[in-house]
Amino acid sequence: MASQDIAGSGRESPGVSFLYDPKIRGILYQAVVFVAIIGLIYWIVGNTVANLQRANIASGFGFLSGRAGFDISQSLVQYSSDSTYGRALYVGFLNTLYVAAIGIVIASIIGFLVGIGRLSRNWLIRKICLVYVEIFRNIPPLLVIFFWYFGVLSVLPQARESLALPFGSYLNNRGFFLPSVIWGHNAGLIGVAFIVGLVLSFFVGRWARRRQMATGQIFPVYRTAAALILGLPLLAAILTGFPISFDYPKLGTFNLSGGTQVKPEFLALFLALSFYTAAFIAEIVRAGILGVSKGQTEASYALGLRPGTTTRLVVIPQALRIIIPPLTNQYLNLTKNSSLAIAIGYPDLVAVGGTILNQTGQSVEVVAIWMAIYLGLSLITSGFMNWFNAKMALVER
């Protein structure tokens, strides 16, 4: 007891330095590192400004209001050569966001199917999925882009010999031509009905889960959601007199007219990013499924569930808790790999920014814009996936 009292009095002695306190020491180290980083940033900025002044290069972002003077082959918003540099960067940003968003959706679908196929009991399906994964995982993404652009799309027939596809569509070496939608008067009500159907489906799903947890009764959520999402827009179309028409592409002597054209540069980039990233997602899905205890599958079989139902309702929901964190990295990689579009002439953010950099010489500003945009996209994607991961996590009682 006496030794314990002596030890206790030693810990409370006022003569001990506060630097031995782990909390205070940690705060001090963080403050030193923070001051050092601020000093480094100040030195880099000052040195950059001095070098620009020495080279008589004007700094700042005032050049964004200047006339661009160049055309962009694909634009989701109105743009012409008389638009500003800022508008051109905005077009490039939307093109990057467009190909990344569609690529993430398609890569997720293909990756999940191939990942489940890797574990199939069918020998042929399992080996086909294995070959797919091993090929695409060991090829650089730039080479995959070149394969789709030069090896697939460039060897398609000329416009006059276009391949006729269903629903009045055509495919040739100039891209994919499909009918365009013409919205008539009151057609916006159909879009409103579609959004209302989505919102109602969400609330029906939440109500069905609470009802099942309380009573054990299963409500047909998927059929109800399909009826709401498809039925409400159809009802709105009937009430408004079907104010939608289609402009079909027409095959001429040398080219096609009408409809909507999906350019080969977008197709090559979209297909390459989707198939390349899907190979990595497939391995993540396979690992997540294997991470679920076999006892869960055996228990579901003991309850009389079929293999497909077991995979969909028992295995996949538990595997998502393992799949989501590494899946976030693949989404970020796909978004950043879209910058390889400059190799085939797709006007993404990097390609448009490179043209502006060559015309204005504002290299520091353009690179800073690239960094800010890609950092913002990465943080938004990570934040959403972290929220979804927390939502899917197990809640301890």
Side-chain angles (χ1 to χ4, degrees):
M1 292 295 295
S3 61
Q4 292 180 359
D5 294 339
I6 294 174
S9 62
R11 284 195 300 269
E12 298 174 0
S13 174
V16 179
S17 174
F18 71 92
L19 292 178
Y20 288 98
D21 190 336
K23 293 183 179 180
I24 297 178
R25 195 165 54 215
I27 294 174
L28 180 62
Y29 289 160
Q30 293 181 47
V32 171
V33 173
F34 178 76
V35 172
I37 293 176
I38 294 298
L40 179 63
I41 294 175
Y42 179 79
W43 176 80
I44 292 175
V45 172
N47 190 36
T48 302
V49 172
N51 290 334
L52 290 176
Q53 291 177 350
R54 190 179 302 112
N56 293 324
I57 299 177
S59 59
F61 296 91
F63 72 96
L64 293 176
S65 60
R67 179 178 178 273
F70 61 90
D71 293 323
I72 298 178
S73 59
Q74 177 175 326
S75 176
L76 300 177
V77 295
Q78 186 177 3
Y79 174 84
S80 67
S81 59
D82 293 327
S83 301
T84 63
Y85 287 123
R87 185 72 172 182
L89 283 173
Y90 179 63
V91 170
F93 166 72
L94 291 181
N95 288 341
T96 296
L97 200 62
Y98 182 56
V99 71
I102 298 181
I104 285 174
V105 173
I106 301 302
S108 300
I109 296 174
I110 298 175
F112 268 81
L113 294 177
V114 175
I116 296 175
R118 286 289 312 271
L119 303 173
S120 174
R121 296 179 180 179
N122 187 297
W123 181 88
L124 181 60
I125 294 178
R126 187 170 64 252
K127 293 303 179 182
I128 290 176
C129 294
L130 173 62
V131 171
Y132 168 84
V133 169
E134 292 301 326
I135 289 178
F136 279 95
R137 288 186 67 192
N138 292 282
I139 297 178
L142 184 60
L143 186 59
V144 180
I145 295 175
F146 285 157
F147 164 75
W148 283 105
Y149 188 68
F150 295 106
V152 177
L153 298 177
S154 295
V155 299
L156 289 174
Q158 299 289 333
R160 67 178 66 182
E161 302 173 351
S162 299
L163 299 176
L165 301 177
F167 306 106
S169 302
Y170 293 92
L171 182 65
N172 55 49
N173 59 2
R174 297 184 182 181
F176 180 46
F177 295 80
L178 66 160
S180 60
V181 181
I182 301 176
W183 301 92
H185 184 63
N186 293 328
L189 294 177
I190 300 177
V192 174
F194 178 74
I195 296 175
V196 171
L198 290 176
V199 174
L200 291 178
S201 300
F202 172 76
F203 285 108
V204 167
R206 293 187 58 181
W207 170 80
R209 283 192 295 269
R210 290 197 300 265
R211 179 174 177 264
Q212 183 177 356
M213 293 297 293
T215 64
Q217 298 178 357
I218 300 177
F219 186 80
V221 177
Y222 293 104
R223 283 180 290 177
T224 305
L228 290 173
I229 295 175
L230 300 178
L232 289 180
L234 180 60
L235 179 61
I238 295 174
L239 294 177
T240 54
F242 289 96
I244 298 178
S245 59
F246 295 93
D247 179 22
Y248 292 91
K250 300 177 180 60
L251 183 61
T253 305
F254 300 103
N255 202 351
L256 288 98
S257 60
T260 300
Q261 178 186 7
V262 181
K263 295 184 179 296
E265 293 79 14
F266 172 81
L267 284 175
L269 182 65
F270 154 67
L271 293 172
L273 294 180
S274 299
F275 280 85
Y276 176 79
T277 309
F280 293 88
I281 294 178
E283 287 297 276
I284 294 173
V285 171
R286 184 178 69 91
I289 293 176
L290 292 177
V292 178
S293 174
K294 291 184 178 179
Q296 299 290 324
T297 304
E298 294 172 353
S300 65
Y301 290 162
L303 293 174
L305 296 179
R306 296 183 178 181
T309 306
T310 298
T311 302
R312 181 170 56 89
L313 299 180
V314 178
V315 178
I316 295 298
Q318 297 184 69
L320 282 177
R321 301 180 177 97
I322 306 174
I323 293 171
I324 292 174
L327 191 64
T328 305
N329 294 331
Q330 297 306 319
Y331 290 167
L332 296 178
N333 289 338
L334 188 149
T335 303
K336 289 179 284 190
N337 284 338
S338 65
S339 60
L340 296 173
I342 192 173
I344 57 174
Y346 178 73
D348 73 320
L349 178 66
V350 174
V352 175
T355 303
I356 295 174
L357 188 152
N358 292 330
Q359 290 188 358
T360 63
Q362 305 290 332
S363 57
V364 175
E365 291 79 1
V366 172
V367 172
I369 292 174
W370 287 343
M371 293 173 60
I373 291 178
Y374 278 107
L375 178 62
L377 291 176
S378 299
L379 292 177
I380 292 173
T381 304
S382 300
F384 174 78
M385 294 300 292
N386 289 336
W387 168 81
F388 186 58
N389 185 38
K391 186 177 179 62
M392 297 299 298
L394 288 174
V395 180
E396 298 182 357
R397 296 181 180 179

